[in-house]
Amino acid sequence: MSRYVALLPAAGAGSRMASSVPKQYLALLGEPLLLHTLRAMLAVAELDKVVLVLSADDSWFEPDWVVDMPRLTVLRCGGASRAETVRNGLQALAGELAADDWVLVHDAARPCIDPADVARLITTLGDDSVGGLLAVPVADTLKRADAACRVAATVPRDGLWRAQTPQMFRHGALCRALAEGACEAITDEASAIEAAGMSPSLVMGDERNIKVTYPQDLALAALYLQARTTR
Ligand SMILES: Nc1ccn([C@@H]2O[C@H](COP(=O)(O)OP(=O)(O)OP(=O)(O)O)[C@@H](O)[C@H]2O)c(=O)n1
Ligand SMILES: C[C@](O)(CO)[C@H](O)COP(=O)(O)O
């Protein structure tokens, strides 16, 4: 029986937030952003454990925040890129995970994830030969910019999806794919799996599962979380 483990890369600097505080620690509804993500993932009963991967020199994390989270493991092996953080975390888990155990990689910077969507991803892909990811179809018309920031072309959007997380793949396959790929060129786990010749499944996600990337995203995340608590 395969296990399901979530791995949350949380070792970034948040440079696009233009804040001195790494964005995973910015206040969101009065608590550090990553606590919202942790609670959402720990609410998924199908997950055997949740692994948070911090940078080795992270001075922001407070162990007291997670004393009531027994299924949580905190690692301090973050890397210079998101892919390296994920690869390091997977390697740290190698002794306890079987090759066919499922790993769900979820950005710590996506605090609005709905536990029901994670459970649906698990149910949908639990017997899949490759795995896959939550994603949403592109709804806007897409433009490619030239060097002068003028429209160089309109990019056909049919068949285009925006990748989200969690991205769910077997531990063995994901370790091999990330070991073979150049980490700096890999921006999500699915692209490493694709480079290894496999085709991940796209599972309908939710537009509200935003990645907090720019300053204005924080207020939007707060709105989405408040709306969920009042529904
Ligand atoms: N070396 C890195 C870079 C990113 N991440 C994590 O990967 C997720 C998504 O990455 P991104 O939104 O790019 O976060 P940052 O790299 O922190 O942001 P920026 O690119 O603006 O610096 C975040 O939870 C971030 O903490 C990580 O664990 N290790
Ligand atoms: C993994 C991801 O969230 C899928 O859209 C995205 O690729 C992360 O990109 P980032 O630049 O590391 O935030």
Side-chain angles (χ1 to χ4, degrees), residues 7 22 25 30 36 42 44 71 76-77 98-99 111 122 150 183 194 219:
L7 187 148
Y25 295 109
H36 293 276
L42 287 165
V44 182
R71 279 190 295 141
R76 288 179 172 271
C77 58
I122 289 170
R150 300 190 72 87
C183 270
E194 295 155 40

Side-chain angles (χ1 to χ4, degrees), residues 117-192:
D117 289 341
V118 183
R120 180 165 52 85
L121 183 71
I122 289 170
T123 304
T124 305
L125 298 182
D127 294 325
D128 193 272
S129 60
V130 174
L133 62 149
L134 290 180
V136 289
V138 168
D140 302 308
T141 296
L142 299 177
K143 305 292 184 185
R144 182 173 301 284
D146 65 15
C149 202
R150 300 190 72 87
V151 176
T154 293
V155 179
R157 68 184 180 197
D158 52 305
L160 292 185
W161 291 54
R162 290 189 291 115
Q164 298 181 340
T165 65
Q167 303 201 3
M168 174 178 158
F169 300 104
R170 301 270 189 187
H171 183 255
L174 187 53
C175 287
R176 285 191 301 275
L178 287 173
E180 290 157 8
C183 270
E184 58 279 356
I186 292 170
T187 58
D188 73 342
E189 289 66 53
S191 49

Side-chain angles (χ1 to χ4, degrees), residues 21-183:
V21 179
K23 64 184 180 183
Q24 57 271 38
Y25 295 109
L26 286 173
L28 177 58
L29 299 181
E31 292 185 292
L33 184 150
L34 69 74
L35 282 189
H36 293 276
T37 313
L38 284 174
R39 279 199 288 269
M41 296 305 286
L42 287 165
V44 182
E46 292 84 348
L47 293 173
D48 288 288
K49 71 188 300 180
V50 175
V51 180
L52 182 68
V53 187
L54 307 177
S55 63
D57 60 358
D58 183 309
S59 60
W60 299 92
F61 182 76
E62 297 287 345
D64 288 352
W65 294 340
V66 298
V67 291
D68 61 344
M69 298 180 181
R71 279 190 295 141
L72 175 66
T73 296
V74 180
L75 302 177
R76 288 179 172 271
C77 58
S81 68
R82 180 185 178 282
E84 279 186 46
T85 296
V86 172
R87 186 181 60 189
N88 294 349
L90 291 172
Q91 284 170 350
L93 295 170
E96 64 178 279
L97 290 189
D100 67 347
D101 284 336
W102 289 102
V103 178
L104 289 83
V105 182
H106 181 64
D107 297 324
R110 290 183 186 266
C112 301
I113 182 66
D114 186 335
D117 289 341
V118 183
R120 180 165 52 85
L121 183 71
I122 289 170
T123 304
T124 305
L125 298 182
D127 294 325
D128 193 272
S129 60
V130 174
L133 62 149
L134 290 180
V136 289
V138 168
D140 302 308
T141 296
L142 299 177
K143 305 292 184 185
R144 182 173 301 284
D146 65 15
C149 202
R150 300 190 72 87
V151 176
T154 293
V155 179
R157 68 184 180 197
D158 52 305
L160 292 185
W161 291 54
R162 290 189 291 115
Q164 298 181 340
T165 65
Q167 303 201 3
M168 174 178 158
F169 300 104
R170 301 270 189 187
H171 183 255
L174 187 53
C175 287
R176 285 191 301 275
L178 287 173
E180 290 157 8
C183 270

